[in-house]
PDB file of all heavy atoms in Angstrom:
ATOM      1  N   VAL A 407     217.377 112.502 100.689  1.00  0.00           N
ATOM      2  CA  VAL A 407     218.193 112.482 101.969  1.00  0.00           C
ATOM      3  C   VAL A 407     217.851 113.811 102.624  1.00  0.00           C
ATOM      4  O   VAL A 407     218.064 114.891 102.016  1.00  0.00           O
ATOM      5  CB  VAL A 407     219.704 112.389 101.619  1.00  0.00           C
ATOM      6  CG1 VAL A 407     220.538 112.443 102.915  1.00  0.00           C
ATOM      7  CG2 VAL A 407     219.987 111.111 100.818  1.00  0.00           C
ATOM      8  N   VAL A 408     217.427 113.744 103.807  1.00  0.00           N
ATOM      9  CA  VAL A 408     216.854 114.961 104.419  1.00  0.00           C
ATOM     10  C   VAL A 408     217.490 115.217 105.840  1.00  0.00           C
ATOM     11  O   VAL A 408     218.001 114.339 106.442  1.00  0.00           O
ATOM     12  CB  VAL A 408     215.274 114.858 104.633  1.00  0.00           C
ATOM     13  CG1 VAL A 408     214.691 114.746 103.248  1.00  0.00           C
ATOM     14  CG2 VAL A 408     214.906 113.641 105.463  1.00  0.00           C
ATOM     15  N   PRO A 409     217.380 116.503 106.278  1.00  0.00           N
ATOM     16  CA  PRO A 409     217.981 116.899 107.539  1.00  0.00           C
ATOM     17  C   PRO A 409     217.003 116.790 108.687  1.00  0.00           C
ATOM     18  O   PRO A 409     215.890 116.285 108.520  1.00  0.00           O
ATOM     19  CB  PRO A 409     218.247 118.387 107.320  1.00  0.00           C
ATOM     20  CG  PRO A 409     217.200 118.857 106.431  1.00  0.00           C
ATOM     21  CD  PRO A 409     216.749 117.681 105.549  1.00  0.00           C
ATOM     22  N   TRP A 410     217.380 117.200 109.848  1.00  0.00           N
ATOM     23  CA  TRP A 410     216.615 116.981 111.105  1.00  0.00           C
ATOM     24  C   TRP A 410     215.791 118.207 111.516  1.00  0.00           C
ATOM     25  O   TRP A 410     215.014 118.088 112.450  1.00  0.00           O
ATOM     26  CB  TRP A 410     217.526 116.552 112.265  1.00  0.00           C
ATOM     27  CG  TRP A 410     218.799 117.388 112.375  1.00  0.00           C
ATOM     28  CD1 TRP A 410     220.041 117.095 112.068  1.00  0.00           C
ATOM     29  CD2 TRP A 410     218.915 118.809 112.889  1.00  0.00           C
ATOM     30  NE1 TRP A 410     220.911 118.104 112.247  1.00  0.00           N
ATOM     31  CE2 TRP A 410     220.218 119.159 112.790  1.00  0.00           C
ATOM     32  CE3 TRP A 410     217.993 119.754 113.405  1.00  0.00           C
ATOM     33  CZ2 TRP A 410     220.710 120.417 113.176  1.00  0.00           C
ATOM     34  CZ3 TRP A 410     218.422 120.991 113.826  1.00  0.00           C
ATOM     35  CH2 TRP A 410     219.748 121.343 113.725  1.00  0.00           C
ATOM     36  N   ASN A 411     215.867 119.336 110.778  1.00  0.00           N
ATOM     37  CA  ASN A 411     215.182 120.451 111.375  1.00  0.00           C
ATOM     38  C   ASN A 411     213.704 120.566 111.040  1.00  0.00           C
ATOM     39  O   ASN A 411     212.898 120.984 111.846  1.00  0.00           O
ATOM     40  CB  ASN A 411     215.949 121.774 110.946  1.00  0.00           C
ATOM     41  CG  ASN A 411     215.934 121.968 109.489  1.00  0.00           C
ATOM     42  OD1 ASN A 411     215.842 121.101 108.665  1.00  0.00           O
ATOM     43  ND2 ASN A 411     216.243 123.254 109.030  1.00  0.00           N
ATOM     44  N   ILE A 416     210.187 118.476 105.016  1.00  0.00           N
ATOM     45  CA  ILE A 416     211.202 118.410 103.932  1.00  0.00           C
ATOM     46  C   ILE A 416     211.134 117.051 103.232  1.00  0.00           C
ATOM     47  O   ILE A 416     211.292 117.000 102.046  1.00  0.00           O
ATOM     48  CB  ILE A 416     212.572 118.745 104.442  1.00  0.00           C
ATOM     49  CG1 ILE A 416     212.547 120.195 104.875  1.00  0.00           C
ATOM     50  CG2 ILE A 416     213.641 118.571 103.383  1.00  0.00           C
ATOM     51  CD1 ILE A 416     213.886 120.720 105.456  1.00  0.00           C
ATOM     52  N   TRP A 419     208.491 117.583 100.778  1.00  0.00           N
ATOM     53  CA  TRP A 419     208.899 118.412  99.655  1.00  0.00           C
ATOM     54  C   TRP A 419     209.648 117.527  98.658  1.00  0.00           C
ATOM     55  O   TRP A 419     209.601 117.862  97.404  1.00  0.00           O
ATOM     56  CB  TRP A 419     209.936 119.437 100.082  1.00  0.00           C
ATOM     57  CG  TRP A 419     209.340 120.615 100.957  1.00  0.00           C
ATOM     58  CD1 TRP A 419     208.078 120.750 101.283  1.00  0.00           C
ATOM     59  CD2 TRP A 419     210.127 121.706 101.390  1.00  0.00           C
ATOM     60  NE1 TRP A 419     207.998 121.919 101.983  1.00  0.00           N
ATOM     61  CE2 TRP A 419     209.199 122.534 102.116  1.00  0.00           C
ATOM     62  CE3 TRP A 419     211.441 122.048 101.365  1.00  0.00           C
ATOM     63  CZ2 TRP A 419     209.607 123.732 102.671  1.00  0.00           C
ATOM     64  CZ3 TRP A 419     211.831 123.246 101.963  1.00  0.00           C
ATOM     65  CH2 TRP A 419     210.925 124.049 102.705  1.00  0.00           C
ATOM     66  N   LYS A 434     216.029 108.574 103.068  1.00  0.00           N
ATOM     67  CA  LYS A 434     217.010 108.352 104.246  1.00  0.00           C
ATOM     68  C   LYS A 434     216.860 109.602 105.160  1.00  0.00           C
ATOM     69  O   LYS A 434     217.354 110.708 104.843  1.00  0.00           O
ATOM     70  CB  LYS A 434     218.471 108.251 103.716  1.00  0.00           C
ATOM     71  CG  LYS A 434     219.387 107.425 104.481  1.00  0.00           C
ATOM     72  CD  LYS A 434     219.681 107.952 105.873  1.00  0.00           C
ATOM     73  CE  LYS A 434     220.671 109.054 105.996  1.00  0.00           C
ATOM     74  NZ  LYS A 434     220.699 109.712 107.301  1.00  0.00           N
ATOM     75  N   PRO A 435     216.097 109.446 106.317  1.00  0.00           N
ATOM     76  CA  PRO A 435     215.955 110.579 107.212  1.00  0.00           C
ATOM     77  C   PRO A 435     217.232 110.724 108.032  1.00  0.00           C
ATOM     78  O   PRO A 435     218.134 109.885 108.073  1.00  0.00           O
ATOM     79  CB  PRO A 435     214.892 110.031 108.153  1.00  0.00           C
ATOM     80  CG  PRO A 435     214.827 108.521 108.139  1.00  0.00           C
ATOM     81  CD  PRO A 435     215.453 108.158 106.745  1.00  0.00           C
ATOM     82  N   ALA A 436     217.342 111.918 108.575  1.00  0.00           N
ATOM     83  CA  ALA A 436     218.501 112.183 109.486  1.00  0.00           C
ATOM     84  C   ALA A 436     218.450 111.265 110.712  1.00  0.00           C
ATOM     85  O   ALA A 436     217.444 111.004 111.272  1.00  0.00           O
ATOM     86  CB  ALA A 436     218.454 113.673 109.945  1.00  0.00           C
ATOM     87  N   GLU A 437     219.642 110.856 111.155  1.00  0.00           N
ATOM     88  CA  GLU A 437     219.701 109.923 112.225  1.00  0.00           C
ATOM     89  C   GLU A 437     219.179 110.539 113.535  1.00  0.00           C
ATOM     90  O   GLU A 437     218.754 109.818 114.485  1.00  0.00           O
ATOM     91  CB  GLU A 437     221.138 109.406 112.466  1.00  0.00           C
ATOM     92  CG  GLU A 437     222.235 110.429 112.563  1.00  0.00           C
ATOM     93  CD  GLU A 437     222.820 110.849 111.216  1.00  0.00           C
ATOM     94  OE1 GLU A 437     221.988 110.866 110.195  1.00  0.00           O
ATOM     95  OE2 GLU A 437     223.986 111.191 111.111  1.00  0.00           O
ATOM     96  N   GLY A 465     219.273 105.547 109.322  1.00  0.00           N
ATOM     97  CA  GLY A 465     220.608 105.148 109.508  1.00  0.00           C
ATOM     98  C   GLY A 465     221.561 106.349 109.473  1.00  0.00           C
ATOM     99  O   GLY A 465     221.110 107.433 109.290  1.00  0.00           O
ATOM    100  N   TYR A 466     222.804 106.137 109.592  1.00  0.00           N
ATOM    101  CA  TYR A 466     223.790 107.202 109.615  1.00  0.00           C
ATOM    102  C   TYR A 466     224.174 107.693 108.236  1.00  0.00           C
ATOM    103  O   TYR A 466     224.099 106.907 107.226  1.00  0.00           O
ATOM    104  CB  TYR A 466     225.056 106.852 110.362  1.00  0.00           C
ATOM    105  CG  TYR A 466     224.810 106.676 111.865  1.00  0.00           C
ATOM    106  CD1 TYR A 466     224.603 105.425 112.478  1.00  0.00           C
ATOM    107  CD2 TYR A 466     224.711 107.767 112.711  1.00  0.00           C
ATOM    108  CE1 TYR A 466     224.341 105.243 113.816  1.00  0.00           C
ATOM    109  CE2 TYR A 466     224.455 107.649 114.033  1.00  0.00           C
ATOM    110  CZ  TYR A 466     224.310 106.337 114.584  1.00  0.00           C
ATOM    111  OH  TYR A 466     223.969 106.283 115.948  1.00  0.00           O
ATOM    112  N   GLY A 467     224.567 108.983 108.185  1.00  0.00           N
ATOM    113  CA  GLY A 467     224.909 109.551 106.849  1.00  0.00           C
ATOM    114  C   GLY A 467     226.071 108.832 106.212  1.00  0.00           C
ATOM    115  O   GLY A 467     226.059 108.521 105.004  1.00  0.00           O
ATOM    116  N   GLU A 468     227.157 108.647 107.032  1.00  0.00           N
ATOM    117  CA  GLU A 468     228.333 108.012 106.507  1.00  0.00           C
ATOM    118  C   GLU A 468     228.212 106.589 105.914  1.00  0.00           C
ATOM    119  O   GLU A 468     228.997 106.178 105.067  1.00  0.00           O
ATOM    120  CB  GLU A 468     229.454 108.013 107.614  1.00  0.00           C
ATOM    121  CG  GLU A 468     229.890 109.383 108.125  1.00  0.00           C
ATOM    122  CD  GLU A 468     228.863 109.965 109.043  1.00  0.00           C
ATOM    123  OE1 GLU A 468     227.912 109.268 109.443  1.00  0.00           O
ATOM    124  OE2 GLU A 468     229.054 111.203 109.413  1.00  0.00           O
ATOM    125  N   GLY A 471     223.537 106.964 104.092  1.00  0.00           N
ATOM    126  CA  GLY A 471     223.499 108.125 103.192  1.00  0.00           C
ATOM    127  C   GLY A 471     224.423 107.953 102.038  1.00  0.00           C
ATOM    128  O   GLY A 471     224.103 108.099 100.858  1.00  0.00           O
ATOM    129  N   ALA A 472     225.676 107.593 102.381  1.00  0.00           N
ATOM    130  CA  ALA A 472     226.735 107.447 101.320  1.00  0.00           C
ATOM    131  C   ALA A 472     226.355 106.360 100.398  1.00  0.00           C
ATOM    132  O   ALA A 472     226.539 106.441  99.099  1.00  0.00           O
ATOM    133  CB  ALA A 472     228.070 107.185 101.999  1.00  0.00           C
ATOM    134  N   PHE A 485     218.641 116.175  97.883  1.00  0.00           N
ATOM    135  CA  PHE A 485     219.316 116.330  99.165  1.00  0.00           C
ATOM    136  C   PHE A 485     218.961 117.661  99.813  1.00  0.00           C
ATOM    137  O   PHE A 485     219.057 118.689  99.147  1.00  0.00           O
ATOM    138  CB  PHE A 485     220.895 116.137  98.987  1.00  0.00           C
ATOM    139  CG  PHE A 485     221.636 116.504 100.193  1.00  0.00           C
ATOM    140  CD1 PHE A 485     221.823 115.604 101.289  1.00  0.00           C
ATOM    141  CD2 PHE A 485     222.225 117.798 100.321  1.00  0.00           C
ATOM    142  CE1 PHE A 485     222.518 116.010 102.387  1.00  0.00           C
ATOM    143  CE2 PHE A 485     222.991 118.181 101.418  1.00  0.00           C
ATOM    144  CZ  PHE A 485     223.144 117.281 102.449  1.00  0.00           C
ATOM    145  N   THR A 486     218.715 117.606 101.074  1.00  0.00           N
ATOM    146  CA  THR A 486     218.704 118.876 101.833  1.00  0.00           C
ATOM    147  C   THR A 486     219.537 118.636 103.068  1.00  0.00           C
ATOM    148  O   THR A 486     219.416 117.642 103.821  1.00  0.00           O
ATOM    149  CB  THR A 486     217.282 119.230 102.267  1.00  0.00           C
ATOM    150  OG1 THR A 486     216.487 119.589 101.100  1.00  0.00           O
ATOM    151  CG2 THR A 486     217.294 120.492 103.132  1.00  0.00           C
ATOM    152  N   GLY A 487     220.511 119.540 103.259  1.00  0.00           N
ATOM    153  CA  GLY A 487     221.395 119.382 104.450  1.00  0.00           C
ATOM    154  C   GLY A 487     222.509 120.434 104.297  1.00  0.00           C
ATOM    155  O   GLY A 487     222.376 121.436 103.631  1.00  0.00           O
ATOM    156  N   SER A 488     223.638 120.134 104.966  1.00  0.00           N
ATOM    157  CA  SER A 488     224.739 121.058 104.974  1.00  0.00           C
ATOM    158  C   SER A 488     225.487 121.042 103.734  1.00  0.00           C
ATOM    159  O   SER A 488     225.572 120.104 102.917  1.00  0.00           O
ATOM    160  CB  SER A 488     225.651 120.677 106.181  1.00  0.00           C
ATOM    161  OG  SER A 488     226.149 119.403 105.910  1.00  0.00           O
ATOM    162  N   VAL A 491     228.176 118.157 103.212  1.00  0.00           N
ATOM    163  CA  VAL A 491     227.578 116.868 102.779  1.00  0.00           C
ATOM    164  C   VAL A 491     227.111 116.959 101.393  1.00  0.00           C
ATOM    165  O   VAL A 491     227.170 116.051 100.598  1.00  0.00           O
ATOM    166  CB  VAL A 491     226.558 116.407 103.807  1.00  0.00           C
ATOM    167  CG1 VAL A 491     225.903 115.063 103.390  1.00  0.00           C
ATOM    168  CG2 VAL A 491     227.201 116.219 105.235  1.00  0.00           C
ATOM    169  N   LEU A 494     229.726 116.136  99.107  1.00  0.00           N
ATOM    170  CA  LEU A 494     229.935 114.731  99.012  1.00  0.00           C
ATOM    171  C   LEU A 494     228.995 113.991  98.025  1.00  0.00           C
ATOM    172  O   LEU A 494     229.419 113.101  97.288  1.00  0.00           O
ATOM    173  CB  LEU A 494     229.728 114.010 100.390  1.00  0.00           C
ATOM    174  CG  LEU A 494     230.854 114.341 101.454  1.00  0.00           C
ATOM    175  CD1 LEU A 494     230.520 113.674 102.804  1.00  0.00           C
ATOM    176  CD2 LEU A 494     232.180 113.750 100.990  1.00  0.00           C
ATOM    177  N   PHE A 495     227.706 114.460  98.042  1.00  0.00           N
ATOM    178  CA  PHE A 495     226.738 113.838  97.119  1.00  0.00           C
ATOM    179  C   PHE A 495     227.177 114.053  95.660  1.00  0.00           C
ATOM    180  O   PHE A 495     226.963 113.212  94.849  1.00  0.00           O
ATOM    181  CB  PHE A 495     225.338 114.278  97.403  1.00  0.00           C
ATOM    182  CG  PHE A 495     224.747 113.420  98.512  1.00  0.00           C
ATOM    183  CD1 PHE A 495     224.722 113.815  99.844  1.00  0.00           C
ATOM    184  CD2 PHE A 495     224.263 112.131  98.169  1.00  0.00           C
ATOM    185  CE1 PHE A 495     224.182 113.057 100.861  1.00  0.00           C
ATOM    186  CE2 PHE A 495     223.705 111.334  99.194  1.00  0.00           C
ATOM    187  CZ  PHE A 495     223.661 111.743 100.541  1.00  0.00           C
ATOM    188  N   TYR A 498     229.850 111.491  95.180  1.00  0.00           N
ATOM    189  CA  TYR A 498     229.279 110.160  95.018  1.00  0.00           C
ATOM    190  C   TYR A 498     228.745 109.893  93.646  1.00  0.00           C
ATOM    191  O   TYR A 498     228.886 108.888  93.064  1.00  0.00           O
ATOM    192  CB  TYR A 498     228.112 109.966  96.014  1.00  0.00           C
ATOM    193  CG  TYR A 498     228.451 110.066  97.529  1.00  0.00           C
ATOM    194  CD1 TYR A 498     227.471 110.495  98.377  1.00  0.00           C
ATOM    195  CD2 TYR A 498     229.658 109.809  98.030  1.00  0.00           C
ATOM    196  CE1 TYR A 498     227.684 110.636  99.765  1.00  0.00           C
ATOM    197  CE2 TYR A 498     229.948 109.888  99.337  1.00  0.00           C
ATOM    198  CZ  TYR A 498     228.916 110.351 100.223  1.00  0.00           C
ATOM    199  OH  TYR A 498     229.207 110.436 101.598  1.00  0.00           O
ATOM    200  N   GLU A 510     219.910 121.269  98.283  1.00  0.00           N
ATOM    201  CA  GLU A 510     219.296 122.397  99.034  1.00  0.00           C
ATOM    202  C   GLU A 510     220.163 122.517 100.288  1.00  0.00           C
ATOM    203  O   GLU A 510     220.051 121.638 101.205  1.00  0.00           O
ATOM    204  CB  GLU A 510     217.866 122.179  99.448  1.00  0.00           C
ATOM    205  CG  GLU A 510     216.930 121.698  98.343  1.00  0.00           C
ATOM    206  CD  GLU A 510     216.694 122.748  97.275  1.00  0.00           C
ATOM    207  OE1 GLU A 510     216.928 123.979  97.602  1.00  0.00           O
ATOM    208  OE2 GLU A 510     216.203 122.372  96.219  1.00  0.00           O
ATOM    209  N   CYS A 511     221.024 123.508 100.357  1.00  0.00           N
ATOM    210  CA  CYS A 511     222.026 123.484 101.516  1.00  0.00           C
ATOM    211  C   CYS A 511     221.776 124.806 102.367  1.00  0.00           C
ATOM    212  O   CYS A 511     220.717 125.245 102.483  1.00  0.00           O
ATOM    213  CB  CYS A 511     223.411 123.425 100.914  1.00  0.00           C
ATOM    214  SG  CYS A 511     223.718 121.913 100.005  1.00  0.00           S
ATOM    215  N   GLY A 512     222.832 125.179 103.073  1.00  0.00           N
ATOM    216  CA  GLY A 512     222.706 126.134 104.079  1.00  0.00           C
ATOM    217  C   GLY A 512     222.582 127.578 103.724  1.00  0.00           C
ATOM    218  O   GLY A 512     222.471 127.887 102.449  1.00  0.00           O
ATOM    219  N   GLY A 513     222.583 128.494 104.696  1.00  0.00           N
ATOM    220  CA  GLY A 513     222.478 129.890 104.375  1.00  0.00           C
ATOM    221  C   GLY A 513     223.079 130.776 105.434  1.00  0.00           C
ATOM    222  O   GLY A 513     223.393 130.309 106.496  1.00  0.00           O
ATOM    223  N   CYS A 545     217.280 126.837 107.662  1.00  0.00           N
ATOM    224  CA  CYS A 545     218.265 127.147 106.612  1.00  0.00           C
ATOM    225  C   CYS A 545     218.194 128.661 106.204  1.00  0.00           C
ATOM    226  O   CYS A 545     219.223 129.243 105.958  1.00  0.00           O
ATOM    227  CB  CYS A 545     218.061 126.256 105.430  1.00  0.00           C
ATOM    228  SG  CYS A 545     216.353 126.274 104.753  1.00  0.00           S
ATOM    229  N   GLU A 644     227.563 129.374 108.792  1.00  0.00           N
ATOM    230  CA  GLU A 644     226.200 129.031 109.244  1.00  0.00           C
ATOM    231  C   GLU A 644     226.261 128.396 110.628  1.00  0.00           C
ATOM    232  O   GLU A 644     226.763 127.258 110.776  1.00  0.00           O
ATOM    233  CB  GLU A 644     225.540 128.075 108.221  1.00  0.00           C
ATOM    234  CG  GLU A 644     224.122 127.796 108.566  1.00  0.00           C
ATOM    235  CD  GLU A 644     223.466 126.734 107.675  1.00  0.00           C
ATOM    236  OE1 GLU A 644     224.142 125.663 107.427  1.00  0.00           O
ATOM    237  OE2 GLU A 644     222.294 126.904 107.251  1.00  0.00           O
ATOM    238  N   PHE A 646     223.481 127.815 112.667  1.00  0.00           N
ATOM    239  CA  PHE A 646     222.308 127.005 112.801  1.00  0.00           C
ATOM    240  C   PHE A 646     221.881 126.901 114.248  1.00  0.00           C
ATOM    241  O   PHE A 646     221.564 125.836 114.759  1.00  0.00           O
ATOM    242  CB  PHE A 646     222.640 125.568 112.215  1.00  0.00           C
ATOM    243  CG  PHE A 646     221.525 125.088 111.416  1.00  0.00           C
ATOM    244  CD1 PHE A 646     220.952 125.702 110.331  1.00  0.00           C
ATOM    245  CD2 PHE A 646     220.921 123.793 111.701  1.00  0.00           C
ATOM    246  CE1 PHE A 646     219.900 125.229 109.606  1.00  0.00           C
ATOM    247  CE2 PHE A 646     219.838 123.319 110.956  1.00  0.00           C
ATOM    248  CZ  PHE A 646     219.348 124.004 109.924  1.00  0.00           C
ATOM    249  N   LEU A 672     220.892 131.915  99.942  1.00  0.00           N
ATOM    250  CA  LEU A 672     219.560 131.305 100.075  1.00  0.00           C
ATOM    251  C   LEU A 672     218.487 132.319 100.138  1.00  0.00           C
ATOM    252  O   LEU A 672     217.498 132.200  99.334  1.00  0.00           O
ATOM    253  CB  LEU A 672     219.573 130.434 101.355  1.00  0.00           C
ATOM    254  CG  LEU A 672     218.352 129.444 101.428  1.00  0.00           C
ATOM    255  CD1 LEU A 672     218.270 128.524 100.277  1.00  0.00           C
ATOM    256  CD2 LEU A 672     218.453 128.617 102.718  1.00  0.00           C
ATOM    257  N   PHE A 710     211.583 127.265  96.263  1.00  0.00           N
ATOM    258  CA  PHE A 710     212.572 127.581  97.396  1.00  0.00           C
ATOM    259  C   PHE A 710     213.888 126.872  97.104  1.00  0.00           C
ATOM    260  O   PHE A 710     213.850 125.691  96.951  1.00  0.00           O
ATOM    261  CB  PHE A 710     211.937 127.121  98.699  1.00  0.00           C
ATOM    262  CG  PHE A 710     212.758 127.484  99.875  1.00  0.00           C
ATOM    263  CD1 PHE A 710     212.809 128.791 100.328  1.00  0.00           C
ATOM    264  CD2 PHE A 710     213.413 126.528 100.600  1.00  0.00           C
ATOM    265  CE1 PHE A 710     213.660 129.125 101.391  1.00  0.00           C
ATOM    266  CE2 PHE A 710     214.213 126.843 101.706  1.00  0.00           C
ATOM    267  CZ  PHE A 710     214.309 128.157 102.106  1.00  0.00           C
ATOM    268  N   SER A 716     224.446 127.739  98.523  1.00  0.00           N
ATOM    269  CA  SER A 716     223.201 127.312  99.124  1.00  0.00           C
ATOM    270  C   SER A 716     222.471 126.263  98.322  1.00  0.00           C
ATOM    271  O   SER A 716     221.435 125.654  98.723  1.00  0.00           O
ATOM    272  CB  SER A 716     222.259 128.492  99.307  1.00  0.00           C
ATOM    273  OG  SER A 716     222.813 129.334 100.340  1.00  0.00           O
TER     274      SER A 716
HETATM  275  P1  NAD B 179     223.678 117.220 107.331  1.00  0.00           P
HETATM  276  O1  NAD B 179     224.274 117.695 106.009  1.00  0.00           O
HETATM  277  O2  NAD B 179     224.643 116.876 108.409  1.00  0.00           O
HETATM  278  O3  NAD B 179     222.732 115.930 107.101  1.00  0.00           O
HETATM  279  C1  NAD B 179     221.763 115.916 106.128  1.00  0.00           C
HETATM  280  C2  NAD B 179     221.455 114.507 105.776  1.00  0.00           C
HETATM  281  O4  NAD B 179     222.681 113.973 105.123  1.00  0.00           O
HETATM  282  C3  NAD B 179     221.156 113.541 106.922  1.00  0.00           C
HETATM  283  O5  NAD B 179     220.187 112.627 106.519  1.00  0.00           O
HETATM  284  C4  NAD B 179     222.505 112.888 107.144  1.00  0.00           C
HETATM  285  O6  NAD B 179     222.381 111.578 107.708  1.00  0.00           O
HETATM  286  C5  NAD B 179     223.040 112.768 105.766  1.00  0.00           C
HETATM  287  N1  NAD B 179     224.512 112.680 105.818  1.00  0.00           N
HETATM  288  C6  NAD B 179     225.344 113.251 106.688  1.00  0.00           C
HETATM  289  N2  NAD B 179     226.652 112.888 106.430  1.00  0.00           N
HETATM  290  C7  NAD B 179     226.593 112.139 105.224  1.00  0.00           C
HETATM  291  C8  NAD B 179     227.614 111.535 104.417  1.00  0.00           C
HETATM  292  N3  NAD B 179     228.895 111.573 104.790  1.00  0.00           N
HETATM  293  N4  NAD B 179     227.212 110.935 103.335  1.00  0.00           N
HETATM  294  C9  NAD B 179     225.892 110.877 102.966  1.00  0.00           C
HETATM  295  N5  NAD B 179     224.902 111.381 103.697  1.00  0.00           N
HETATM  296  C10 NAD B 179     225.249 111.983 104.850  1.00  0.00           C
HETATM  297  O7  NAD B 179     222.733 118.414 107.691  1.00  0.00           O
HETATM  298  P2  NAD B 179     221.829 118.510 109.021  1.00  0.00           P
HETATM  299  O8  NAD B 179     222.751 118.837 110.119  1.00  0.00           O
HETATM  300  O9  NAD B 179     220.925 117.319 109.226  1.00  0.00           O
HETATM  301  O10 NAD B 179     220.889 119.729 108.712  1.00  0.00           O
HETATM  302  C11 NAD B 179     221.233 121.027 108.776  1.00  0.00           C
HETATM  303  C12 NAD B 179     221.652 121.652 107.473  1.00  0.00           C
HETATM  304  O11 NAD B 179     220.565 121.494 106.560  1.00  0.00           O
HETATM  305  C13 NAD B 179     221.977 123.071 107.500  1.00  0.00           C
HETATM  306  O12 NAD B 179     223.115 123.373 106.793  1.00  0.00           O
HETATM  307  C14 NAD B 179     220.722 123.708 106.892  1.00  0.00           C
HETATM  308  O13 NAD B 179     220.940 124.932 106.344  1.00  0.00           O
HETATM  309  C15 NAD B 179     220.367 122.677 105.819  1.00  0.00           C
HETATM  310  N6  NAD B 179     219.013 122.882 105.390  1.00  0.00           N
HETATM  311  C16 NAD B 179     218.796 123.394 104.117  1.00  0.00           C
HETATM  312  C17 NAD B 179     217.404 123.613 103.697  1.00  0.00           C
HETATM  313  C18 NAD B 179     217.141 124.188 102.340  1.00  0.00           C
HETATM  314  O14 NAD B 179     216.039 124.013 101.934  1.00  0.00           O
HETATM  315  N7  NAD B 179     218.143 124.783 101.709  1.00  0.00           N
HETATM  316  C19 NAD B 179     216.404 123.247 104.500  1.00  0.00           C
HETATM  317  C20 NAD B 179     216.689 122.722 105.821  1.00  0.00           C
HETATM  318  C21 NAD B 179     217.994 122.514 106.225  1.00  0.00           C
END
Side-chain angles (χ1 to χ4, degrees):
V407 181
V408 297
W410 43 257
N411 59 340
I416 294 180
W419 287 2
K434 210 296 281 169
E437 52 272 34
Y466 289 100
E468 296 75 9
F485 168 81
T486 296
S488 62
V491 178
L494 287 177
F495 275 97
Y498 299 152
E510 309 292 343
C511 299
C545 52
E644 185 188 41
F646 221 56
L672 192 56
F710 182 70
S716 290

